[in-house]
Amino acid sequence: MEYTTLGKTGLRVGVAGLGCGGGSRLGMARGLPRSESVRLVRLAMDLGVNYLDTAAVYGTESIVGEAIKPVPRDQVHVATKASIRNGMELIPVGDVVASLENSLRELDTDYVDVFQFHAVPPALYDRIREEYAPALLREKEKGKLRHLGLTETPPNDPAGEMLIRASQDPVWEVVMLGFHMMHQVARRNCFPGTQANGIGTVLMFVVRSIFSIPGRLEETLAALAAEKKVPDWLGTSDNPLGFLIHEGGASSVIDAAYRYARHEPGADVVLFGSGVEEHIRTNIGSILRPPLPAEDVARLEALFGHLEGVGLDLPEPRKT
Ligand SMILES: NC(=O)c1ccc[n+]([C@@H]2O[C@H](COP(=O)([O-])OP(=O)(O)OC[C@H]3O[C@@H](n4cnc5c(N)ncnc54)[C@H](OP(=O)(O)O)[C@@H]3O)[C@@H](O)[C@H]2O)c1
């Protein structure tokens, strides 16, 4: 593993972080036995992963809690999140504090390293900042969380508007954002601010469905070509990102996706979500590989740098 500093939190974190939600939820989404999910978290830790991302709604906090039991608490960094809304109505701040308490019970720990407001849409940002952050900062003073952050909701905020503001506000120590080869908006909207303000970044949606469900990439590009948003040849190719796979380049589209995100200036932790041992091993391997060749990175920017909101699906459980 390679380690980096997560902004002003000072935490030394592996650049590959385990996502315990998404379409996989550590394999729970396809009915993996709990003991197997615990084993997979421990496997990731054995491979050097020390940043575990979970949330109250994922149903994986107790799995993470069990997995980290044998490890000295300061050797692993646990991030969790509380839901803040029911539809577009904010839930009371007391319920968010109660969610933190419940997360501590589920994780069977005295504190979380990072606590985040989960999936904050632009319309609710002001109230989260002005009313909810102060309440959680009081919990921080009590030692229940070490660092405060928030996550965006890419499917509901494709232009990344919430993070245009949050990335400029030093109250946040960590932000989680969607970023991938065909959704590069954070380069303009987020990373300049997080870098200027020392805010740590955790990347999600790096592979998601678009690069992992067979046929999804081709369907997406066909639709984009029909809208004249990408060149016609991308809409008709049966291997549209094949140009990335060559000697000295990527070994697969998924390898390219993780390497692309990992080496984006401003990216600290790249999350990968999986419930499959082989995927965990290969994804960590990809994240640790060198950057894609500069000409491939430039081509991805030329082809897709203008796109917003592509491939930001809600979680889709896998059948196999
Ligand atoms: N708003 C938010 O706060 C928010 C929203 C979304 C996600 N997140 C966090 O971000 C994490 C990462 O997002 P994500 O789950 O979308 O992860 P991801 O790494 O972008 O996508 C992984 C998806 O692809 C599959 N996959 C992974 N490696 C593969 C491989 N080598 N070959 C083929 N398929 C592969 C996984 O299922 P398999 O089980 O088949 O490997 C999973 O469904 C989540 O776990 C969650 O912790 C947060």
Side-chain angles (χ1 to χ4, degrees), residues 66 113 128 184 208:
E66 187 176 337
D113 296 276
I128 290 294
Q184 306 174 17
R208 201 68 172 184

Side-chain angles (χ1 to χ4, degrees), residues 178-199:
F179 183 82
H180 67 70
M181 296 189 288
M182 294 173 60
H183 174 69
Q184 306 174 17
V185 300
R187 186 175 301 129
R188 300 185 293 278
N189 284 1
C190 180
F191 294 135
T194 52
Q195 288 176 298
N197 291 296
I199 299 172

Side-chain angles (χ1 to χ4, degrees), residues 4-59:
T4 189
T5 301
L6 186 61
K8 61 192 166 192
T9 70
L11 296 176
R12 290 295 292 170
V13 290
V15 294
L18 183 63
C20 304
S24 184
R25 293 189 294 121
L26 298 174
M28 284 183 71
R30 64 161 82 90
L32 211 61
R34 178 189 163 87
S35 58
E36 183 61 6
S37 296
V38 170
R39 186 186 74 79
L40 291 174
V41 178
R42 288 188 178 150
L43 168 75
M45 289 195 291
D46 288 345
L47 295 169
V49 168
N50 71 355
Y51 193 89
L52 307 176
D53 178 72
T54 183
V57 292
Y58 296 166

Side-chain angles (χ1 to χ4, degrees), residues 63-144:
I63 291 171
V64 171
E66 187 176 337
I68 66 173
K69 269 281 163 272
V71 179
R73 184 63 187 83
D74 62 353
Q75 299 298 299
V76 62
H77 307 307
V78 177
T80 195
K81 322 183 188 80
S83 302
I84 48 112
R85 61 193 168 96
N86 202 343
M88 283 306 281
E89 289 295 310
L90 274 172
I91 63 175
V93 66
D95 290 359
V96 176
V97 174
S99 178
L100 167 62
E101 290 290 353
N102 195 57
S103 291
L104 296 176
R105 274 193 296 277
E106 290 285 313
L107 289 159
D108 196 14
T109 186
D110 296 333
Y111 67 92
V112 288
D113 296 276
V114 178
F115 180 81
Q116 298 150 117
F117 298 111
H118 198 165
V120 178
L124 298 180
Y125 177 75
D126 283 335
R127 289 193 58 201
I128 290 294
R129 171 66 184 87
E130 301 309 324
E131 298 170 33
Y132 288 56
L136 271 297
L137 289 172
R138 287 193 287 278
E139 299 306 305
K140 181 178 173 178
E141 280 166 23
K142 295 178 201 163
K144 300 199 171 166

Side-chain angles (χ1 to χ4, degrees), residues 209-221 313-314 316:
S209 304
I210 188 168
F211 302 121
S212 66
I213 294 185
R216 185 63 59 87
L217 175 63
E218 293 75 8
E219 278 166 31
T220 305
L221 282 167
D313 310 279
L314 292 167
E316 293 173 63

